[in-house]
Amino acid sequence: MSRWFLEEKGFDLDRAISQGNKFLTGNGYMGIRGTLEEFEKKQLVAINLAGIYDRAGEGWREPLNAPNGLYTVLHVDGETYRLPEKSPIAHTLYLDYRKALFTRKTTWQTAKGKVTIETERFASLEEPHLLVMKYCILTEFCADIELVTGIDADVWDINGPHYAQIALSEEGSFIKAIGTTSENHEKVCVIEGCQTDFVKENKLGIGEKRILRNLAFTAEAGKRFEVTKWIGIYTSKDAKDFEEQAKVLVSQCMEQGYGASKDLHIQQWEERWRVSEVIIEGDDVAMEALNYSLYHLQAIAPRHTESLSIAARGLSGQTYKGAVFWDTEMFMLDFFLYTEPCIARTLLKYRLDTLEGAKSKAKSYGYEGAFYPWESQEGGYEACSDYNVIDVFTKRPMRTYFRDKQIHISSAVVYGIVRYLETTGDYSILEEGGIETVLECAKFYHSLLLKRVHKAFYELRDVIGPDEYHERVNNNGYTNRMAKYTFEQAVRMCDLLKQLPKSTRMRIEALYYIEKLREQFEEAAGRIYIPEPDEEGIIEQFDGYKKLEDVSVEQVRSRLLNEKEYWGGAYGVAAHTQVIKQADVVTWLTLFPKDFEEKILLKNWEYYEPRTEHGSSLSACMYALLACRCGMAEKAYPFFLKSASAEIDGEGKQWAGLIYIGGTHPAAAGGAYMTAINGFGGVYFEEGKIKVKPQLPPMWKKLRFKVWYKGMLYEVEETHQDYSVRTLSRSTR
Ligand code: IFM
């Protein structure tokens, strides 16, 4: 029987960081790391806010962590009971990921008997600004309790501190912390209302960065004492009267009560699972890992706005600057397209709304069109620095070229838009900037094409493909293929324009000389160089790749002088070898399997897999998907499980040089989903119809899931012998 919970017993400070990721709760507006109530910034506590960024001094711009309204410390008979300082006799963390409820239970032994605390919390899926926690204390003896609880504004930052000012105050029965950011002077307001049992005294203490209530009372032996904390979080970006809104929200929810708020939250989650759960009979490990991954995607999906994307590390902190990468369109989007298409729209709308940023990035390099940021923050601001890795030996920043040369990012945006059109059938996105976005991306690639006098084709030189270990290469097959795709889609957009409402047509025709563009893109699509398989059937990842030293991943690993050393860049251990970081040619073949016969797909899978370090959590799913395409479900399975277990295992890479890159892995979660549905489940769409060609791993007895396709919800059920596709309902959108 598959479980819908994750449980870890025993306390170990070394696990606190990975538990922060594993036990994360969130609702798309905020992500709350699965840390303990008494933890402080050194244990990486974070209430990470989506889409709001700040720069402090010369540091990297990164997303904000809100003041921590969960902060609570227990004192019993004058002694402090908190982790890690006081060792417990029992400690359990528990996440019910069906209901998105986090609980923690800790028991300490004292001379007089046991003291136990039990907490439960959730970031409401019903109300994005609301975080609620219940904190219970149980003593086996009569004890003097002091519970110090309030808001800790001394938050964890990687490149902070972000609050130039922190204002702490009391307002009737509420306490409040308002942090004002250093860069744009945006304000983050955390208001807390607190309900307790039998409190006699409630002293308030206001420090420099903390505002705390001191709840003091005498606990009776064996009688539970409960405190419920209602935490409203708003920023000045949400509304002008954000402080007032926070206060109103908290008082309304307090009136409604804990049980009612929790029920509404659970109902919302149940609604999501009704469509998104994947039932795998015969393999509980896979079913749990997959649905737990999907939990993480659901917990960070932006539902409070119509234009926002998801950061590469979700809402698990400030890693990777809280920026949006190609991860969203290429790895996460399909999950939302199939289970909640309006979220997919929100993710793409973010790209349409940041087109201006992409155009100015292109211009700054002297290119035309739209060069999307490799690491995108709000407004399409490019957050990727010129020095994105720190050398472990010299401690000096290393010049990296992700920002300048990873040009395949613009094609990912086009890919996302087209997938949205093809899966939802909703073309309104084209009227809202979709056409311009595709055309501008095509203009970008067009302005980069190079033609040597003695060659007939166009080239893309000096780029970085998905395999980031080889920088500044020529004719990366994946990049060239995606540019070709972009040209083809731009041609299609020029044709589609005729079918769009007159106002859109006129607006676009006023901006572009459509016929001329169409001609240019058509010619470019036909003449861009696409590497062909060599006599052994292998497609060179880029010009000259096969001339590099052919060594194993293990040999390359053995050359490391420091385990945190960066493998790529000019002098990295992998740079002059055929060892690659992540699926590259294999990603191309996964996206465009019809480019070659199946035997070529297989040969390339077999050639590149042993040469791939899988140093990125994005890699395994591409190998899994292509293995399925080659009819190798059994070979695909370990790669699928690796993607699906990225969080449960907590074994992903934590460092790039000296830069911390830990956190959650939503792209791996999305990749695991695609493998289950499109790979093993064999779902594809043809001639406007959903079709399936299942190939279940041997121990899977049954696979059942639902998908939205063109406004209809389908339920697919598959066994080794049979399958069915049932129509369930039509979208009201
Ligand atoms: O987008 C990825 C990239 O492909 C590999 N490094 C990490 C990035 C964020 O996940």
Side-chain angles (χ1 to χ4, degrees):
M1 187 56 183
S2 171
R3 300 171 314 174
W4 286 85
F5 65 85
L6 180 72
E7 187 176 50
E8 285 195 11
K9 287 187 184 289
F11 181 72
D12 174 3
L13 188 58
D14 290 343
R15 281 194 284 152
I17 293 181
S18 71
Q19 287 176 334
N21 301 320
K22 285 183 184 177
F23 290 88
L24 181 121
T25 45
N27 59 12
Y29 179 82
M30 56 178 129
I32 298 96
R33 288 178 59 81
T35 49
L36 306 181
E37 293 71 21
E38 63 270 36
F39 275 5
E40 297 174 359
K41 64 181 183 185
K42 57 179 176 291
Q43 286 101 12
L44 313 195
V45 172
I47 297 179
N48 192 237
L49 300 178
I52 170 158
Y53 300 89
D54 179 69
R55 162 173 277 143
E58 290 305 299
W60 282 349
R61 249 174 135 254
E62 60 191 12
L64 279 185
N65 287 329
N68 173 21
L70 298 168
Y71 186 69
T72 307
V73 179
L74 173 71
H75 306 272
V76 181
D77 291 337
E79 215 172 308
T80 308
Y81 286 83
R82 69 186 297 171
L83 295 174
E85 288 84 358
K86 188 153 313 285
S87 295
I89 54 165
H91 177 69
T92 307
L93 294 188
Y94 185 93
L95 177 73
D96 177 335
Y97 54 84
R98 182 93 195 178
K99 300 187 175 127
L101 294 172
F102 167 88
T103 45
R104 167 264 176 107
K105 190 171 173 184
T106 307
T107 302
W108 289 274
Q109 184 68 56
T110 76
K112 291 197 212 160
K114 291 188 182 101
V115 175
T116 299
I117 57 173
E118 243 183 279
T119 69
E120 177 178 83
R121 67 178 182 237
F122 60 92
S124 171
L125 202 62
E126 169 75 12
E127 175 41 72
H129 300 275
L130 184 69
L131 170 61
V132 194
M133 173 176 80
K134 197 183 265 287
Y135 191 107
C136 306
I137 307 165
L138 184 68
T139 50
E140 285 184 340
F141 52 96
C142 173
D144 284 335
I145 303 286
E146 268 185 86
L147 193 65
V148 178
T149 183
I151 308 173
D152 177 12
D154 192 10
V155 299
W156 167 49
D157 283 317
I158 295 183
N159 289 287
H162 290 290
Y163 296 120
Q165 275 172 23
I166 295 168
L168 305 167
S169 59
E170 177 187 19
E171 221 183 297
S173 58
F174 298 106
I175 56 172
K176 183 162 79 175
I178 298 188
T180 305
T181 61
S182 28
E183 189 184 39
N184 294 327
H185 309 294
E186 279 145 2
K187 292 185 188 319
V188 176
C189 169
V190 176
I191 270 205
E192 181 200 293
C194 194
Q195 283 172 328
T196 63
D197 303 339
F198 54 84
V199 168
K200 284 189 292 191
E201 209 179 324
N202 180 350
K203 271 195 296 178
L204 196 71
I206 304 187
E208 203 193 324
K209 291 189 174 178
R210 279 187 190 149
I211 176 161
L212 301 171
R213 293 180 166 106
N214 189 341
L215 312 177
F217 61 94
T218 304
E220 289 172 38
K223 189 160 176 195
R224 275 165 82 90
F225 166 83
E226 280 187 6
V227 180
T228 308
K229 289 184 53 151
W230 305 86
I231 300 152
I233 303 177
Y234 276 81
T235 76
S236 50
K237 283 190 141 186
D238 296 321
K240 266 203 176 114
D241 60 342
F242 63 102
E243 285 182 54
E244 187 53 27
Q245 290 204 22
K247 203 163 94 185
V248 170
L249 173 74
V250 168
S251 51
Q252 279 174 353
C253 294
M254 280 169 81
E255 218 173 282
Q256 188 179 48
Y258 184 81
S261 282
K262 184 169 145 181
D263 286 349
L264 288 171
H265 163 76
I266 293 172
Q267 269 169 34
Q268 286 288 350
W269 271 92
E270 205 40 51
E271 269 292 285
R272 299 304 175 308
W273 286 121
R274 196 178 58 77
V275 179
S276 62
E277 69 176 358
V278 179
I279 306 295
I280 302 171
E281 285 180 19
D283 187 354
D284 289 348
V285 172
M287 176 162 160
E288 283 171 24
L290 181 61
N291 286 297
Y292 169 69
S293 296
L294 304 185
Y295 158 79
H296 277 279
L297 280 171
Q298 299 281 21
I300 55 177
R303 298 194 167 85
H304 58 285
T305 162
E306 291 186 347
S307 174
L308 190 65
S309 195
I310 299 179
R313 288 286 180 265
L315 292 172
S316 62
Q318 292 156 322
T319 298
Y320 283 140
K321 310 168 192 110
V324 178
F325 291 62
W326 70 316
D327 304 32
T328 314
E329 286 79 12
M330 306 306 293
F331 296 82
M332 302 178 213
L333 189 74
D334 277 24
F335 169 69
F336 295 112
L337 282 172
Y338 290 179
T339 62
E340 205 172 347
C342 60
I343 305 273
R345 193 178 209 287
T346 300
L347 301 176
L348 292 167
K349 194 72 183 22
Y350 165 82
R351 293 297 196 179
L352 308 192
D353 293 345
T354 55
L355 177 62
E356 285 313 311
K359 281 165 76 175
S360 28
K361 178 175 169 190
K363 203 166 169 196
S364 74
Y365 284 94
Y367 305 137
E368 290 188 18
F371 183 6
Y372 272 88
W374 179 241
E375 300 183 9
S376 182
Q377 294 182 343
E378 84 278 42
Y381 172 85
E382 171 63 273
C384 187
S385 120
D386 285 345
Y387 299 87
N388 235 23
V389 172
I390 295 181
D391 179 50
V392 287
F393 304 110
T394 62
K395 311 280 184 292
R396 286 196 190 121
M398 287 162 70
R399 180 66 166 103
T400 47
Y401 293 88
F402 309 125
R403 167 198 174 113
D404 325 67
K405 306 293 175 190
Q406 242 173 123
I407 60 169
H408 65 84
I409 177 68
S410 291
S411 65
V413 174
V414 173
Y415 186 79
I417 294 172
V418 174
R419 263 196 100 63
Y420 179 81
L421 299 179
E422 288 174 351
T423 315
T424 63
D426 169 22
Y427 278 59
S428 66
I429 200 160
L430 293 183
E431 294 166 42
E432 294 171 34
I435 293 229
E436 289 97 310
T437 303
V438 177
L439 295 183
E440 293 294 342
C441 290
K443 277 172 66 183
F444 166 62
Y445 289 118
H446 199 262
S447 72
L448 277 164
L449 294 178
L450 287 173
K451 190 185 154 310
R452 282 186 276 172
V453 276
H454 59 289
K455 299 274 184 201
F457 48 76
Y458 296 138
E459 299 178 53
L460 287 172
R461 301 177 74 87
D462 196 8
V463 304
I464 303 181
D467 158 32
E468 294 171 326
Y469 288 163
H470 295 89
E471 297 192 343
R472 312 195 69 167
V473 300
N474 297 333
N475 295 312
N476 166 253
Y478 173 83
T479 306
N480 287 22
R481 182 61 181 89
M482 289 303 282
K484 179 182 170 77
Y485 168 84
T486 303
F487 293 135
E488 287 164 352
Q489 295 307 322
V491 169
R492 182 175 164 204
M493 293 301 146
C494 294
D495 296 340
L496 260 173
L497 193 56
K498 299 186 192 94
Q499 295 165 32
L500 293 185
K502 197 170 165 200
S503 56
T504 313
R505 221 169 58 219
M506 285 171 63
R507 177 170 55 77
I508 302 210
E509 281 169 356
L511 293 174
Y512 305 99
Y513 185 10
I514 290 291
E515 276 317 306
K516 173 119 189 291
L517 278 186
R518 191 189 182 289
E519 219 174 90
Q520 278 177 359
F521 296 153
E522 196 167 34
E523 196 247 2
R527 284 180 68 183
I528 186 165
Y529 169 69
I530 305 293
E532 283 289 326
D534 62 15
E535 55 294 345
E536 286 155 358
I538 308 307
I539 302 164
E540 251 203 332
Q541 187 176 294
F542 50 81
D543 291 353
Y545 168 83
K546 281 189 88 181
K547 292 199 191 96
L548 298 176
E549 189 191 6
D550 195 10
V551 277
S552 71
V553 175
E554 278 326 305
Q555 271 170 292
V556 167
R557 198 187 304 279
S558 72
R559 294 173 185 174
L560 291 174
L561 299 177
N562 181 315
E563 56 165 349
K564 289 184 186 161
E565 198 178 324
Y566 183 57
W567 289 36
Y571 305 109
V573 282
H576 303 282
T577 74
Q578 289 188 31
V579 167
I580 62 173
K581 177 179 182 182
Q582 65 196 80
D584 194 307
V585 169
V586 163
T587 305
W588 160 13
L589 302 183
T590 302
L591 301 181
F592 303 104
K594 291 188 180 151
D595 281 2
F596 303 101
E597 293 166 65
E598 195 175 300
K599 70 169 195 265
I600 297 292
L601 308 184
L602 180 58
K603 282 198 162 157
N604 282 278
W605 192 99
E606 285 170 341
Y607 185 84
Y608 281 105
E609 201 291 314
R611 291 167 175 81
T612 306
E613 185 223 352
H614 298 293
S616 157
S617 60
L618 277 54
S619 189
C621 63
M622 287 295 155
Y623 279 92
L625 280 161
L626 193 63
C628 288
R629 181 73 201 196
C630 298
M632 308 187 297
E634 262 182 281
K635 275 207 171 150
Y637 185 79
F639 293 97
F640 157 77
L641 209 56
K642 184 173 165 131
S643 285
S645 313
E647 251 52 85
I648 291 193
D649 285 354
E651 281 172 3
K653 251 195 183 170
Q654 304 287 313
W655 301 93
L658 286 180
I659 308 283
Y660 175 64
I661 56 169
T664 58
H665 302 83
Y673 177 80
M674 291 193 286
T675 309
I677 306 305
N678 305 107
F680 301 135
V683 165
Y684 64 103
F685 306 112
E686 207 173 62
E687 292 159 356
K689 292 202 177 83
I690 177 170
K691 302 207 169 148
V692 292
K693 203 171 158 205
Q695 48 166 331
L696 306 185
M699 74 265 221
W700 291 20
K701 295 203 174 80
K702 189 184 273 178
L703 174 66
R704 183 154 48 85
F705 53 88
K706 300 190 182 79
V707 291
W708 282 104
Y709 176 59
K710 296 206 167 161
M712 303 285 263
L713 183 63
Y714 297 92
E715 183 174 58
V716 180
E717 198 169 299
E718 306 175 346
T719 62
H720 286 279
Q721 296 76 35
D722 208 1
Y723 67 81
S724 66
V725 180
R726 274 197 316 138
T727 310
L728 294 182
S729 56
R730 179 182 282 280
S731 156
T732 48
R733 234 193 102 87

